[in-house]
Amino acid sequence: MERTYIEKLLNKLNNEYGFNLKFGENFKMAFSHSSYTNEKKIAKHLNYERLEFLGDAVVELTTSEFLFKKFPKLAEGELTKLRASIVCEKTLVKYALQLNLDKCIYLGRGEEKMGGRSRAALLADIFESFTGALYLETNLETVKIFLNNTLFTEVEDYEYSSFVDYKTILQEYVFKIKLGEIEYKVLDSIGPSHSKTFISAVEIDGKQYGSGTAATKKESEQLSAKQALDKLGYDGI
């Protein structure tokens, strides 16, 4: 059954992106959990973990290159934070499920009964092991096409602010230029309890530098921090 799902996955990628992927040992290994290899008395090194090791490096490299080119003015620290926001368990699991990678996993009977197929950490690892197998079976350019249509769709210009922690950037910048203490204040909250809008402001050494309006207090503070950075002439973003 697992092979059938793997073949469906490969055919889907072939049809959508013009790949020429075929089921083979690397793709089987990418989905073979240690509980399966132990149960079937298959050599320990033939489970998914070695390919996950490789795939992790491939994903980090391609993501780093993608962000480096997409955001040419972004500082190293912000690039690192953005990469960590993309290559995280939550995002990897999201695309593992979208691709039905959970159905492709070879599991031992005990691990299956314990719900291993839906375990987030395993799904994130399997996304990376599949990427490692894809790299070995094809090349880096093919991996980039695959990630451009999966993982990298998380990063659009209009979504960029959701990845950036402006409050932390402001804190670090204000400390660097020795401007004073930062304080966030909620100026107002409008609307019913289930649908409030928050208006926040950020003060530095008692002077207001920015304000923001959003559906959550946290996001309104982030927007006020962004406005403060703009007012201060910060050009790291």
Side-chain angles (χ1 to χ4, degrees):
M1 180 61 73
E2 290 83 359
R3 174 170 176 165
T4 300
Y5 278 111
I6 296 171
E7 289 175 332
K8 284 182 178 179
L9 167 67
L10 300 181
N11 287 334
K12 172 183 167 66
L13 297 177
N14 289 341
N15 292 333
E16 291 186 1
Y17 309 124
F19 298 163
N20 186 30
L21 306 174
K22 296 177 182 177
F23 182 84
E25 286 304 308
N26 279 325
F27 287 125
K28 180 175 181 179
M29 189 179 3
F31 293 104
S32 294
H33 190 262
S34 57
S35 64
Y36 171 81
T37 55
N38 290 339
E39 188 176 284
K40 299 295 183 181
K41 295 182 170 48
I42 299 171
K44 185 177 180 180
H45 69 278
L46 294 178
N47 66 37
Y48 77 89
E49 293 171 6
R50 281 169 50 83
L51 281 170
E52 186 262 328
F53 164 79
L54 175 63
D56 175 70
V58 172
V59 169
E60 182 163 322
L61 171 63
T62 50
T63 304
S64 298
E65 181 186 1
F66 173 79
L67 295 175
F68 183 83
K69 291 179 177 178
K70 187 172 182 65
F71 301 108
K73 295 182 180 179
L74 206 60
E76 180 271 340
E78 281 73 59
L79 283 170
T80 300
K81 291 173 187 175
L82 183 51
R83 184 181 63 197
S85 298
I86 300 165
V87 186
C88 66
E89 183 177 282
K90 180 181 177 182
T91 311
L92 296 179
V93 169
K94 172 183 174 180
Y95 288 100
L97 291 173
Q98 281 190 14
L99 293 163
N100 291 322
L101 301 190
D102 55 318
K103 296 177 181 178
C104 299
I105 306 171
Y106 292 89
L107 289 175
R109 284 170 292 184
E111 186 70 21
E112 185 77 72
K113 288 180 181 178
M114 292 172 62
R117 198 173 294 276
S118 60
R119 202 156 42 85
L122 174 57
L123 291 173
D125 286 349
I126 290 296
F127 183 93
E128 292 182 329
S129 65
F130 174 71
T131 304
L134 183 63
Y135 171 72
L136 290 179
E137 289 293 318
T138 58
N139 50 51
L140 197 57
E141 291 308 309
T142 299
V143 171
K144 289 178 184 178
I145 293 170
F146 170 67
L147 294 179
N148 270 324
N149 288 279
T150 54
L151 204 58
F152 299 163
T153 60
E154 292 291 300
V155 189
E156 298 294 343
D157 289 331
Y158 65 86
E159 292 178 331
Y160 174 50
S161 62
S162 67
F163 290 101
V164 180
D165 185 354
Y166 290 107
K167 290 178 67 174
T168 298
I169 297 170
L170 180 63
Q171 182 71 46
E172 293 172 351
Y173 185 61
V174 167
F175 177 79
K176 180 180 179 180
I177 63 176
K178 299 180 174 60
L179 194 59
E181 293 295 318
I182 297 175
E183 183 180 2
Y184 291 90
K185 295 181 177 180
V186 176
L187 302 180
D188 201 359
S189 58
I190 307 164
S193 58
H194 66 278
S195 182
K196 279 189 176 296
T197 298
F198 293 87
I199 303 172
S200 295
V202 59
E203 295 182 356
I204 305 173
D205 203 27
K207 179 182 177 181
Q208 183 172 316
Y209 276 77
S211 62
T213 302
T216 66
K217 176 175 174 286
K218 180 179 179 181
E219 183 62 21
S220 68
E221 290 179 348
Q222 288 285 351
L223 292 174
S224 65
K226 181 180 185 300
Q227 191 177 95
L229 286 165
D230 292 340
K231 187 172 183 178
L232 291 168
Y234 177 76
D235 60 359
I237 298 178

